Amino acid sequence: MDIVLIELILWGALIFFFWALRENLGNVETELEQAQTLKAREFALRALQRRFVLPERLSQPIGQYRGVPIHELMVFDGRHYRFDHVCPPEDHPLLREEHCYVEPGLVYVRCEPVATHAAA
């Protein structure tokens, strides 16, 4: 009879262990999802905060977008950038670290320095 009692206690403890493990894993999953959402919001907020930059130097224009000239090359904060694509501000662009956003929606990507920059 003692063995049956010990076995029942062990089975009860095992069931309790699995129940506690399931509850805690559910909490961890929820915390991970919240952290991921928070990280995505912070990234979007950083992208919105560093919206438009004012170039220090520009090359010759290669086209126009919304009445503003598109320059092939520009310098901002001592770094060189090449025109990449157009992204209207209404689209809430998510820019990478190497991107620069110029009004009214011109996206430039960091590149190696080019000696053909003309002062704007």
Side-chain angles (χ1 to χ4, degrees), residues 18 34 36 60-61 65 81 85 88 107 114:
F18 282 129
Q34 289 173 350
Q36 187 176 17
Q60 295 298 320
Y65 175 68
Y81 294 87
H85 63 278
V107 179
V114 178

Side-chain angles (χ1 to χ4, degrees), residues 17-105:
F17 172 75
F18 282 129
W19 174 81
L21 184 64
R22 186 186 64 141
E23 289 294 314
N24 286 329
L25 286 178
N27 292 341
V28 168
E29 183 180 13
T30 302
E31 289 175 10
L32 286 175
E33 288 173 355
Q34 289 173 350
Q36 187 176 17
T37 303
L38 183 61
K39 187 175 181 180
R41 285 183 187 160
E42 288 175 0
F43 181 76
L45 182 60
R46 263 189 283 124
L48 289 174
Q49 286 174 343
R50 60 175 217 184
R51 287 293 263 187
F52 299 122
V53 300
L54 187 60
E56 297 165 4
R57 289 186 293 159
L58 297 166
S59 69
Q60 295 298 320
I62 58 171
Q64 281 198 352
Y65 175 68
R66 292 187 178 183
V68 175
I70 299 172
H71 299 274
E72 181 180 8
L73 302 168
M74 76 158 198
V75 176
F76 171 72
D77 199 23
R79 296 185 184 113
H80 296 260
Y81 294 87
R82 179 178 305 277
F83 176 73
D84 192 47
H85 63 278
V86 171
C87 185
E90 303 85 47
D91 290 347
H92 304 290
L94 292 177
L95 304 175
R96 292 190 222 132
E97 186 84 21
E98 67 271 7
H99 285 161
C100 219
Y101 200 46
V102 177
E103 197 167 14

